[in-house]
Amino acid sequence: MPLHSPSQVSQSKLPIPDFAVELSGLEKTYKGNKRSGPKQALNGIDLQIPRGSVFGLLGPNGAGKSTMINILAGLVMKTAGTAKIWGIDIDADPRQARAAIGVVPQELNIDAFFTPREMLEVQAGMFGVPPSERRTDEILETVGLSDKAHAYSRSLSGGMRRRLLVAKSMVHDPPILVLDEPTAGVDVELRRKLWDTVADLNAHGVTVLLTTHYLEEAEALCDRIAIINHGEVIACDTTRNLVGRLDGKELFVEVEEALTELPASLQSHGFTLADDGRLHVTYRRGRVKVARLLGAVQAAGLHVVDLETRQSDLEDVFVALTSADGDPDHLTSGHAA
């Protein structure tokens, strides 16, 4: 059974904004205690999440990601700033704002004595969804749990419980789905199934906000990514532009000759001798052509057997931006000139 588009279901109830989530000057300071002073978790967050996107929110532990999500979910009170969900201010109309968002938490908080079908029915009732408008069986089919609809939740595998959490977040047909570390600790096969489900939801118009520590996952799935550190957004761009910031590639060259030391002419081009005996150089794509580097190898009297290139990825960008010095240039230092 095809999944309803939230734009079809919610159009009569909610306005259709350009941005699924809008944050302006969002701050959160937790009160201190006798052992420690106040802790500022968010420091003036400005963020716009386009409607219909898969948006990645990345950051090291303690960066403020969970605080931000909990504010959107209504679990934490903000200290300052504004937050809108589907164009609705969370202070002006908190109930309607929460109706526009579904949150899949990290923790497997599932009642072991309910069946998946019962659990979705209860969840729908809590959101005020009339019995005639509930899509329990459809949602169970969407997440691949139709055959477990009447099994006790305690009998489900960890992966099935993860999918059940996704199903719970969908019962009120929210146009925005927040996934907080949804694939933490799950195997590769389950991870792929979960992302197939997410991709299907997004294809039907659901805006997805994802937090994950699997950076290759974020790079593959997300249209846009924001990186948060120490309670501040330090980068926000399309995934392609973000990865392209470093403009760095590595070249490994295997030669016929057994080298014990590097010719001076290659050292001047930034080459080093790798542990496996191959020549290695890091260069900037916008400044140096591979043909020029290979020409230098041949000019040194060496014969190329094989070569390999590696491109900077999201992990390189993340490490560069969240490192102690916060300077991405350290990844490109020593590049071929």
Side-chain angles (χ1 to χ4, degrees), residues 32 99 134 141 175 184 256 260-261 288 311 316 321 331:
R134 295 176 189 174
E141 182 179 348
E256 289 182 354
T260 56
E261 61 181 51
V288 178
Q311 186 169 325
D316 295 323
L321 292 174
L331 285 179

Side-chain angles (χ1 to χ4, degrees), residues 176-322:
I176 304 167
L177 192 63
V178 177
L179 305 175
D180 192 6
E181 299 287 348
T183 58
V186 303
D187 59 43
V188 175
E189 182 179 1
L190 171 60
R191 191 176 300 164
R192 289 176 178 172
K193 289 180 179 178
L194 280 171
W195 292 129
D196 285 344
T197 300
V198 171
D200 183 60
L201 289 169
N202 182 247
H204 284 84
V206 177
T207 302
V208 178
L209 172 58
L210 162 71
T211 75
T212 179
H213 281 100
Y214 298 107
L215 300 184
E216 72 281 1
E217 193 170 71
E219 185 172 353
L221 293 168
C222 297
D223 310 316
R224 298 182 65 87
I225 289 174
I227 298 178
I228 184 172
N229 197 23
H230 301 301
E232 299 180 353
V233 175
I234 58 176
C236 183
D237 208 336
T238 63
T239 305
R240 180 175 181 178
N241 287 346
L242 204 56
V243 172
R245 283 190 181 190
L246 293 185
D247 192 34
K249 293 191 73 171
E250 294 179 272
L251 173 67
F252 293 85
V253 182
E254 180 182 351
V255 296
E256 289 182 354
E257 294 76 11
L259 300 176
T260 56
E261 61 181 51
L262 204 62
S265 61
L266 293 183
Q267 293 181 32
S268 66
H269 282 83
F271 278 95
T272 60
L273 198 58
D275 293 338
D276 59 5
R278 292 187 297 174
L279 303 174
H280 171 257
V281 63
T282 305
Y283 65 99
R284 296 191 180 187
R285 292 172 295 171
R287 298 184 181 181
V288 178
K289 303 296 183 183
V290 174
R292 175 183 170 188
L293 298 173
L294 293 177
V297 173
Q298 294 174 332
L302 303 177
H303 298 83
V304 176
V305 175
D306 196 8
L307 58 87
E308 174 190 357
T309 60
R310 296 178 187 172
Q311 186 169 325
S312 299
D313 57 17
L314 184 60
E315 183 173 351
D316 295 323
V317 178
F318 181 85
V319 171
L321 292 174
T322 59

Side-chain angles (χ1 to χ4, degrees), residues 23-28 42-45 68 71 78 80-83:
L23 307 177
S24 178
L26 190 66
E27 297 184 11
K28 176 60 183 178
L42 298 178
N43 183 20
I45 295 289
M68 194 184 98
I71 289 174
K78 61 185 175 60
T82 61

Side-chain angles (χ1 to χ4, degrees), residues 23 26-30 39-43 45 57 62-79 106 180 211 228 231:
L23 307 177
L26 190 66
E27 297 184 11
K28 176 60 183 178
T29 301
Y30 291 101
K39 167 67 175 178
Q40 187 169 36
L42 298 178
N43 183 20
I45 295 289
L57 183 65
K65 304 185 301 297
S66 293
T67 295
M68 194 184 98
I69 288 173
N70 287 335
I71 289 174
L72 295 177
L75 301 176
V76 170
M77 298 296 292
K78 61 185 175 60
T79 304
Q106 295 183 41
D180 192 6
T211 75
I228 184 172

Side-chain angles (χ1 to χ4, degrees), residues 67-142:
T67 295
M68 194 184 98
I69 288 173
N70 287 335
I71 289 174
L72 295 177
L75 301 176
V76 170
M77 298 296 292
K78 61 185 175 60
T79 304
T82 61
K84 292 182 180 180
I85 301 173
W86 208 247
I88 304 164
D89 190 289
I90 64 172
D91 292 328
D93 195 346
R95 184 172 182 178
Q96 190 77 308
R98 292 172 194 170
I101 194 169
V103 179
V104 181
Q106 295 183 41
E107 299 80 11
L108 293 173
N109 54 349
I110 292 175
D111 192 315
F113 297 97
F114 276 72
T115 67
R117 198 177 195 288
E118 291 170 340
M119 196 172 299
L120 266 59
E121 284 290 310
V122 170
Q123 187 80 353
M126 293 176 65
F127 275 96
V129 181
S132 61
E133 296 181 16
R134 295 176 189 174
R135 302 180 297 111
T136 300
D137 293 327
E138 178 187 343
I139 293 172
L140 287 172
E141 182 179 348
T142 298

